[in-house]
């Protein structure tokens, strides 16, 4: 009986090892949903391989604010004048853990990489991580980030199987596996559609709507919510949700909170990450704008302290260029609602404005890269 038990345990151990290796070596990646958290990372890897990543000189890391808020096609085209391929690696839900994993992978895989731009809103400075779902984003980069780093940013919780991912990769793909088993035909169709996309549609283009959130004013939250309830279907759902979020936030009588004890380690973590990057490539930190109502009523008190601490340290040490565009929307004469499509994302007008403000800084950044000359004047 002991012999049978030992054989069973050995078989179980070997099966678990085989499953882990399947995910570690990317054998599951071809069937991951393109729209899942892991799938967006896989899309970037596939697109860079098809693009010929050896030619990439600069990449942008960011979350959906950077992915949709910057006109990445214009940035790419402007970079070509400097003989620089500057591509977008921004993904929705990305945070510091994702940036670390992407940086490690990019430095290994992109031989000509000379610059990394990190574009985040001040909200990114609130916490060490972005929740358990961020683990799914780094699963396709699992070999480039140690387990201790993953646990630092997303602590282990016995009640959440996703937080087992640093030790057992299948846990990071749990939701995707469940969806594949439940909807195999839909998954096959999604993968076929994925294979028709061009590299530049992933690495440079980002579709952005032109509608705004000026339908109702957020100055009177009660009136705002009443108007939204009576609006019917005339308002895009994303704009409606954004306005509801802003108006409900403005209604809150929030108690004054103080920054938490984690602010010091947060500053150290951001600065240490960029200091390590600066040993290999040139680094730029771009601080993106948020809607003033979101800033005033939704921001965690850590944000101001950590953000100011990070910027001060970067300016003091010179390890990264800092471009603060957090006020670029509020500096305009037009109402800020005309530049947003929801409570945190810019519409096309905001996208053009933000890119107009950033391009001169990027041109100076590109010109300082090794072997890059300023474009000739015509």
């Amino acid at each position: 009986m002991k012999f049978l038990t030992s054989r069973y345990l050995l078989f179980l151990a070997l099966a678990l090892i085989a499953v882990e290796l399947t995910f570690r070596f990317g054998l599951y990646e071809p069937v991951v949903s393109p729209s899942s958290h892991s799938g967006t990372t896989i899309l970037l890897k596939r697109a860079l391989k098809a693009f010929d990543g050896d030619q990439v000189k600069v990449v942008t890391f960011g979350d959906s604010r950077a992915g949709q808020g910057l006109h990445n096609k214009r940035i790419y085209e402007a970079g070509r004048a400097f003989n620089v391929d500057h591509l977008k690696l921004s993904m929705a839900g990305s945070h510091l853990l994702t940036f670390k994993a992407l940086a490690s992978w990019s430095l290994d895989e992109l031989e000509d990489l000379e610059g990394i731009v990190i574009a985040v809103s001040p909200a990114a400075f609130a916490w060490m991580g972005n929740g358990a779902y961020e683990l799914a984003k780094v699963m396709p980069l699992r070999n480039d980030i140690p387990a201790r780093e993953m646990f630092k940013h997303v602590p282990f919780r016995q009640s959440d199987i996703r937080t087992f991912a640093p030790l057992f990769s299948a846990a990071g793909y749990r939701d995707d596996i469940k969806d594949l088993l439940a909807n195999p035909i839909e998954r096959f169709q999604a993968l076929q559609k994925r294979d028709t996309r061009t590299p530049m549609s992933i690495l440079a283009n980002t579709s952005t709507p032109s509608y705004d959130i000026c339908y109702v004013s957020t100055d009177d939250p009660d009136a705002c919510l009443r108007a939204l309830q009576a609006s019917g279907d005339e308002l895009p759902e994303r704009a409606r949700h954004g306005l509801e979020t802003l108006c409900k936030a403005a209604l809150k009588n929030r108690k004054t909170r103080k920054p938490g004890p984690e602010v010091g380690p947060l500053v150290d973590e951001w600065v240490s990450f960029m200091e390590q990057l600066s040993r290999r490539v040139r680094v730029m930190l771009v601080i993106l704008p948020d809607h003033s109502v979101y800033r005033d009523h939704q921001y965690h008190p850590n944000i101001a302290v950590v953000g100011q601490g990070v910027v001060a340290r970067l300016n003091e040490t010179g390890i990264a260029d800092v471009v603060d565009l957090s006020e670029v929307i509020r500096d305009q004469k037009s109402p800020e609602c005309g530049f947003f499509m929801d409570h945190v994302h810019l519409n096309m007008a905001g996208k053009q404005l933000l890119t107009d403000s950033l391009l001169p800084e990027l041109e100076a950044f590109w010109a300082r890269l090794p072997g890059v000359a300023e474009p000739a004047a015509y």
Side-chain angles (χ1 to χ4, degrees):
M1 191 68 177
K2 286 186 177 180
F3 175 71
L4 292 176
T5 302
S6 298
R7 289 187 63 183
Y8 172 76
L9 291 176
L10 177 61
F11 174 79
L12 180 62
L14 291 174
L16 290 174
I17 292 172
V19 170
E20 178 66 13
L21 292 177
T22 296
F23 290 100
R24 282 292 188 101
F25 286 98
L27 300 180
Y28 179 71
E29 288 186 11
V31 298
V32 172
S33 169
S35 60
S36 69
H37 297 304
S38 299
T40 55
T41 305
I42 293 167
L43 275 177
L44 289 182
K45 291 173 60 177
R46 288 168 55 93
L48 280 168
K49 183 177 181 181
F51 180 84
D52 189 357
D54 291 346
Q55 298 179 6
V56 179
K57 287 190 179 295
V58 184
V59 293
T60 297
F61 297 164
D63 59 12
S64 58
R65 287 173 170 89
Q68 295 188 341
L70 293 173
H71 201 303
N72 296 287
K73 184 178 181 181
R74 284 183 59 196
I75 291 172
Y76 172 78
E77 292 171 347
R80 291 305 307 144
F82 290 76
N83 198 29
V84 168
D85 285 333
H86 184 151
L87 299 178
K88 169 186 73 77
L89 301 190
S90 301
M91 299 181 287
S94 295
H95 199 263
L96 188 51
L97 173 63
T98 311
F99 301 157
K100 287 183 175 182
L102 268 178
S104 178
W105 181 85
S106 299
L107 289 169
D108 287 341
E109 297 292 329
L110 308 179
E111 294 184 3
D112 287 347
L113 187 66
E114 295 175 353
I116 292 178
V117 176
I118 300 170
V120 294
S121 89
F125 298 124
W127 307 104
M128 187 72 78
N130 207 20
Y133 78 88
E134 192 181 6
L135 292 172
K137 300 203 74 62
V138 301
M139 281 299 101
L141 308 169
R142 178 64 186 84
N143 295 328
D144 298 280
I145 189 84
R148 66 177 181 276
E149 283 291 331
M150 299 173 77
F151 282 129
K152 181 195 299 184
H153 293 274
V154 183
F156 174 77
R157 286 184 0 199
Q158 190 173 355
S159 61
D160 190 343
I161 194 172
R162 295 174 299 175
T163 62
F164 287 70
L167 301 177
F168 190 51
S169 298
Y173 289 100
R174 171 179 174 269
D175 293 339
D176 187 84
I177 296 170
K178 287 176 62 178
D179 179 70
L180 172 61
L181 295 176
N183 305 289
I185 296 176
E186 289 84 348
R187 176 65 57 86
F188 177 72
Q189 293 171 340
L191 294 173
Q192 284 187 312
K193 186 176 180 180
R194 175 202 66 186
D195 292 339
T196 65
R197 296 188 63 180
T198 64
M200 292 307 294
S201 72
I202 299 165
L203 300 170
N205 290 352
T206 309
S207 59
T208 302
S210 58
Y211 63 77
D212 58 41
I213 56 171
C214 293
Y215 179 82
V216 294
S217 172
T218 56
D219 293 340
D220 184 340
D222 284 312
C224 167
L225 292 173
R226 288 196 300 270
L228 289 174
Q229 290 175 350
S231 63
D233 298 330
E234 58 190 282
L235 191 63
E237 187 56 36
R238 190 161 183 173
R240 179 193 303 278
H241 172 71
L243 283 166
E244 286 180 349
T245 301
L246 294 176
C247 294
K248 287 179 180 178
L251 277 175
K252 293 179 182 177
N253 183 18
R254 302 182 67 190
K255 296 179 180 179
T256 302
R257 294 183 295 169
K258 295 181 179 180
E262 64 273 10
V263 294
L266 270 171
V267 173
D268 292 340
E269 198 69 32
W270 277 95
V271 174
S272 174
F273 168 56
M274 284 186 271
E275 192 276 331
Q276 292 177 49
L277 281 184
S278 70
R279 299 174 190 172
R280 302 278 301 274
V281 294
R282 193 171 189 91
V283 183
M284 173 186 283
L285 173 66
V286 180
I287 302 178
L288 305 175
D290 270 325
H291 195 284
S292 61
V293 175
Y294 185 84
R295 177 200 62 192
D296 296 342
H297 298 281
Q298 291 286 86
Y299 268 16
H300 189 278
N302 285 355
I303 291 173
V305 178
V306 175
Q308 291 168 8
V310 169
V311 170
R313 291 264 294 276
L314 295 180
N315 286 333
E316 179 184 346
T317 59
I319 61 178
D321 299 339
V322 178
V323 180
D324 187 353
L325 299 179
S326 60
E327 299 293 328
V328 70
I329 300 295
R330 287 186 288 277
D331 288 343
Q332 304 304 306
K333 294 181 180 180
S334 304
E336 66 177 327
C337 62
F339 297 97
F340 285 86
M341 65 174 172
D342 60 26
H343 56 299
V344 293
H345 297 105
L346 299 178
N347 62 12
M348 182 55 75
K351 183 176 189 172
Q352 297 286 17
L353 173 63
L354 188 63
T355 306
D356 288 342
S357 302
L358 181 58
L359 273 176
E361 304 290 345
L362 285 177
E363 290 172 354
F365 181 81
W366 297 327
R368 290 193 294 269
L369 296 175
V372 174
E374 292 192 29
Y378 292 98

